[in-house]
């Protein structure tokens, strides 16, 4: 986010209230405009909030869908929009009731920044099914700081501590950022189906999720088969841990595999 430091003044998303944090961000102002440097408001941390200095943010394909308003049938983009939900940063400030984090801690934020905390799903720790969940960007902002929530293409974010994750300091922080969406999206089903040694896992596509899937499946001890339509990705797939790479054009090989994959 070094470029943010060169941002020009006078391009604010909206008038900034003095009671709010004035954060730098990259926003799209329409479905066809590129991202541009701007300023956005963040709320001052409440007693249960963590204020984070964002160090890295992954680029998820959802960010592109949202910026381009490609989900307009069920989630119209509110412009200006600030995407980004693979956030890694350092705690800058914590509210008085926050005991699990302190200034300087390395932390992450994924796709959610809030929920009601009271519904059956929340009680089970399944906030992703909460009917009142607050997504990291593009959701109605329950604090009223801005028309919608703004994501991680920014230098600051303020998040309820229950939606802040600890990031081990021995990780490469830039490489850790995609764990917050692509990573959990592939890790979760593999844990659910108990992927382990002796199993075969097929990964279709070596993109943002696919490359994470390869690494997790390999780490769990499975035999990893990557299916791709891009011959140029063969070497990358093998380097990341695939045991086999099947080009989609290799129909005979596909037919030969039959039911060979366990998941
Ligand atoms: Zn994502
Ligand atoms: Zn809930």
């Amino acid at each position: 986010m070094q470029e943010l430091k060169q941002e020009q003044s006078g391009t604010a998303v909206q008038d900034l209230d003095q009671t709010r944090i004035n954060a730098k961000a990259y926003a799209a102002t329409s479905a066809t405009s590129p991202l541009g440097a701007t300023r956005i408001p963040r709320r001052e941390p409440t007693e249960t909030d963590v204020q984070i200095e964002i160090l890295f943010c992954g680029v998820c394909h959802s960010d592109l869908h949202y910026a381009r308003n490609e989900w307009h049938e069920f989630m119209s983009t509110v412009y200006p929009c600030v995407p980004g939900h693979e956030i890694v940063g350092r705690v800058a400030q914590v509210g008085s009731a926050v005991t699990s984090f302190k200034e300087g801690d390395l932390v992450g934020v994924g796709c959610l920044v809030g929920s009601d905390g009271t519904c059956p799903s929340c009680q089970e720790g399944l906030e992703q099914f909460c009917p009142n969940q607050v997504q990291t960007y593009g959701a109605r902002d329950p604090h009223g700081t801005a028309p919608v929530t703004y994501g991680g293409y920014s230098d600051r974010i303020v998040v309820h501590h229950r939606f802040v994750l600890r990031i081990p300091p021995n990780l490469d922080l830039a490489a850790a950022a995609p764990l917050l969406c692509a990573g959990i999206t592939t890790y979760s089903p593999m844990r659910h189906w108990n992927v382990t040694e002796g199993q075969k896992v097929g990964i279709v596509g070596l993109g943002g999720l696919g490359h994470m899937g390869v690494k997790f499946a390999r780490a769990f001890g499975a035999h990893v088969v990557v299916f791709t339509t891009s011959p140029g990705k063969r070497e990358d797939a093998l380097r990341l841990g695939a045991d086999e790479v099947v080009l989609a054009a290799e129909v005979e090989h596909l037919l030969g595999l039959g039911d060979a994959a366990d998941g």
Side-chain angles (χ1 to χ4, degrees):
M1 287 304 191
Q2 287 300 316
E3 298 86 346
L4 287 174
K5 297 195 171 70
Q6 289 144 30
E7 174 261 343
Q8 301 294 307
S9 60
T11 56
V13 165
Q14 60 189 72
D15 290 338
L16 292 164
D17 185 322
Q18 291 300 313
T19 64
R20 292 170 183 162
I21 296 164
N22 176 346
K24 296 176 181 176
Y26 281 115
T29 54
S30 78
T32 54
S33 69
L35 294 176
T38 188
R39 297 269 180 174
I40 55 168
R42 299 289 194 189
R43 67 179 182 270
E44 285 290 344
T46 68
E47 61 178 14
T48 54
D49 281 334
V50 176
Q51 184 194 157
I52 300 164
E53 176 197 0
I54 298 174
L55 301 173
F56 298 99
C57 185
V59 178
C60 176
H61 204 99
S62 298
D63 298 348
L64 305 183
H65 287 307
Y66 180 67
R68 296 290 168 252
N69 199 20
E70 290 169 354
W71 291 334
H72 58 88
E73 287 177 9
F74 57 92
M75 179 187 176
S76 273
T77 302
V78 175
Y79 294 101
C81 74
V82 180
H85 57 203
E86 295 179 336
I87 298 165
V88 170
R90 186 176 286 117
V91 173
Q93 189 184 347
V94 297
S96 58
V98 177
T99 57
S100 45
F101 299 101
K102 63 179 189 312
E103 190 180 332
D105 285 350
L106 292 170
V107 293
V109 177
C111 305
L112 291 181
V113 291
S115 71
D116 56 31
T118 56
C119 75
S121 294
C122 286
Q123 294 297 312
E124 283 185 70
L126 297 171
E127 290 86 350
Q128 68 270 32
F129 299 129
C130 176
N132 298 307
Q133 63 174 249
V134 182
Q135 296 185 339
T136 304
Y137 57 78
R140 189 186 67 81
D141 183 350
H143 294 267
T145 317
V148 290
T149 52
Y150 294 135
Y153 295 3
S154 175
D155 68 345
R156 297 263 156 182
I157 192 166
V158 178
V159 180
H160 190 285
H161 69 89
R162 286 202 307 119
F163 295 88
V164 178
L165 304 165
R166 193 168 294 283
I167 300 290
N170 59 327
L171 293 186
D172 173 340
L173 297 182
L179 291 170
L180 278 306
C181 180
I184 189 60
T185 304
T186 49
Y187 177 88
S188 176
M190 285 195 221
R191 294 304 289 165
H192 181 81
W193 296 106
N194 197 25
V195 169
T196 187
E197 210 169 326
Q199 294 184 330
K200 277 191 178 180
V201 172
I203 307 280
V204 180
L206 190 73
L209 270 67
H211 93 280
M212 285 282 176
V214 170
K215 296 176 85 168
F216 282 129
R218 172 77 177 213
F220 292 142
H223 182 93
V224 184
V225 183
V226 169
F227 299 89
T228 177
T229 56
S230 309
K233 291 188 176 178
R234 181 189 291 274
E235 287 308 312
D236 283 337
L238 295 171
R239 181 175 55 80
L240 289 165
D243 296 288
E244 292 180 60
V245 181
V246 179
L247 292 176
E250 294 174 351
V251 179
E252 285 118 320
H253 193 161
L254 275 174
L255 292 174
L257 282 175
D259 298 328
D262 293 310

